[in-house]
Amino acid sequence: NGIPFANIKTWSDFVNVVGQLTNPATVDKAKELYSTIIIDEVYASAQFCQTYICNKYGVSSVDEGKGGYGLWKQYETEYWKAVNMIVSSGYTVVFIAHVSETKDGKIVPKGDKRSITPIMDNCDIIAYLKSNGIDENGDRIHSSAYFAETDEYFARSRFDYMVPYIEDFTCDNLRKAIQDAIEAQEEAERVPFDKLKEDVVALGMNFCEAGHQERLQELIADCLGEGNSVQEATERQYESLEILLAKLEEQKQKLGVA
């Protein structure tokens, strides 16, 4: 399908690729080529890491190390060090995890707590994908994606206004759902226009009382245009008032305005 991929067979392969993508000397060049990194899949990468730790300390399993106390901390540190490098380097990172079931039969991402938990904690979206099988022509139907946890499966989103479900899961549909959620959040958090204007007027009065009326007028002219006043501002100038308020707050600190 033309998507570049790295054939990862060992932990050193994984670490080397992460290094190429995150090394300060090469990261800018890498970002010219790639904006999204897909790690497919989490459980396999964790197993590579465990094998590396076992070989490093000369044991057959992680729990056998340190005289039976286990090398879990060493494994956890090694795994997260590599994952953290990639998630903190400015890429969009997609982790693909197979599913496993809890003792209660709930579907969760497959992996031990030292590998899957920190990844889940750093994901903005955890989607459970459900197969829709094939159509009457034998062609595969796109999976459906779920973003809200139920008794059946684990899923979640950091976006308060994310849709709970996308029937036709595609990149474009996911992108639209995220964008819609962000816009809905911004709208919900948007300060009412009258309240915004009141805040600007109140802070402007403080500037006048502190003897900084000339600086106030300069900022108003810069944001609203020469000869315009805050009182006459309309809702079309909402963003201009937001900028004015931010500049007044900044100047307040410098000028010692109450």
Side-chain angles (χ1 to χ4, degrees), residues 204 207-208 212-230 244 248:
F207 270 70
C208 293
H212 296 294
Q213 186 169 0
E214 183 175 345
R215 182 58 180 145
L216 172 64
Q217 292 303 320
E218 290 174 354
L219 292 172
I220 292 174
D222 183 50
C223 294
L224 299 180
E226 195 71 41
N228 293 323
S229 71
V230 174
L244 175 56
L248 288 173

Side-chain angles (χ1 to χ4, degrees), residues 158-161 180-190:
R158 295 193 193 280
F159 303 108
D160 292 340
Y161 293 88
D180 289 347
I182 292 173
E183 290 176 357
Q185 184 73 36
E186 291 175 347
E187 185 63 29
E189 295 174 351
R190 183 182 175 97

Side-chain angles (χ1 to χ4, degrees), residues 77-229:
T77 300
E78 175 68 23
Y79 188 79
W80 176 242
K81 180 173 66 176
V83 171
N84 187 50
M85 287 175 65
I86 197 72
V87 300
S88 62
S89 293
Y91 297 99
T92 296
V93 184
V94 178
F95 294 95
I96 297 176
H98 292 164
V99 299
S100 63
E101 290 189 10
T102 67
K103 60 182 180 180
D104 300 321
K106 187 170 185 174
I107 297 172
V108 297
K110 184 177 182 179
D112 63 83
K113 66 180 181 180
R114 293 167 181 85
S115 59
I116 197 67
T117 300
I119 288 175
M120 291 168 64
D121 289 344
N122 279 270
C123 285
D124 291 328
I125 294 173
I126 300 175
Y128 168 56
L129 301 185
K130 194 169 186 178
S131 172
N132 288 316
I134 59 176
D135 62 19
E136 62 276 9
N137 298 317
D139 296 324
R140 190 181 307 168
I141 303 172
H142 290 157
S143 297
S144 297
Y146 298 81
F147 306 102
E149 185 174 8
T150 70
D151 293 337
E152 178 187 353
Y153 54 81
F154 180 87
R156 73 176 178 213
S157 168
R158 295 193 193 280
F159 303 108
D160 292 340
Y161 293 88
M162 185 72 178
V163 294
Y165 164 77
I166 295 178
E167 181 177 2
D168 184 21
F169 181 66
T170 65
C171 181
D172 287 340
N173 288 343
L174 176 60
R175 184 184 294 113
K176 183 179 185 305
I178 294 173
Q179 185 61 45
D180 289 347
I182 292 173
E183 290 176 357
Q185 184 73 36
E186 291 175 347
E187 185 63 29
E189 295 174 351
R190 183 182 175 97
V191 177
F193 176 73
D194 290 341
K195 178 64 169 61
L196 175 61
K197 184 186 284 191
E198 288 175 9
D199 290 345
V200 173
V201 170
L203 190 49
M205 292 296 293
N206 291 347
F207 270 70
C208 293
E209 291 171 1
H212 296 294
Q213 186 169 0
E214 183 175 345
R215 182 58 180 145
L216 172 64
Q217 292 303 320
E218 290 174 354
L219 292 172
I220 292 174
D222 183 50
C223 294
L224 299 180
E226 195 71 41
N228 293 323
S229 71

Side-chain angles (χ1 to χ4, degrees), residues 9-78:
K9 295 182 178 180
T10 65
W11 183 245
S12 62
D13 289 341
F14 186 82
V15 171
N16 287 336
V17 172
V18 170
Q20 293 169 19
L21 294 169
T22 62
N23 188 314
T26 58
V27 66
D28 289 340
K29 183 64 176 178
K31 286 182 179 178
E32 292 178 7
L33 300 173
Y34 315 112
S35 61
T36 300
I37 307 299
I38 301 173
I39 297 178
D40 183 8
E41 50 95 27
V42 173
Y43 183 76
S45 64
Q47 292 300 300
F48 291 150
C49 185
Q50 286 194 32
T51 299
Y52 164 78
I53 292 294
C54 290
N55 291 339
K56 179 178 179 179
Y57 290 93
V59 294
S60 59
S61 65
V62 174
D63 55 5
E64 182 185 302
K66 290 184 67 177
Y69 288 99
L71 296 164
W72 297 108
K73 187 62 180 178
Q74 290 83 349
Y75 158 55
E76 180 179 17
T77 300
E78 175 68 23

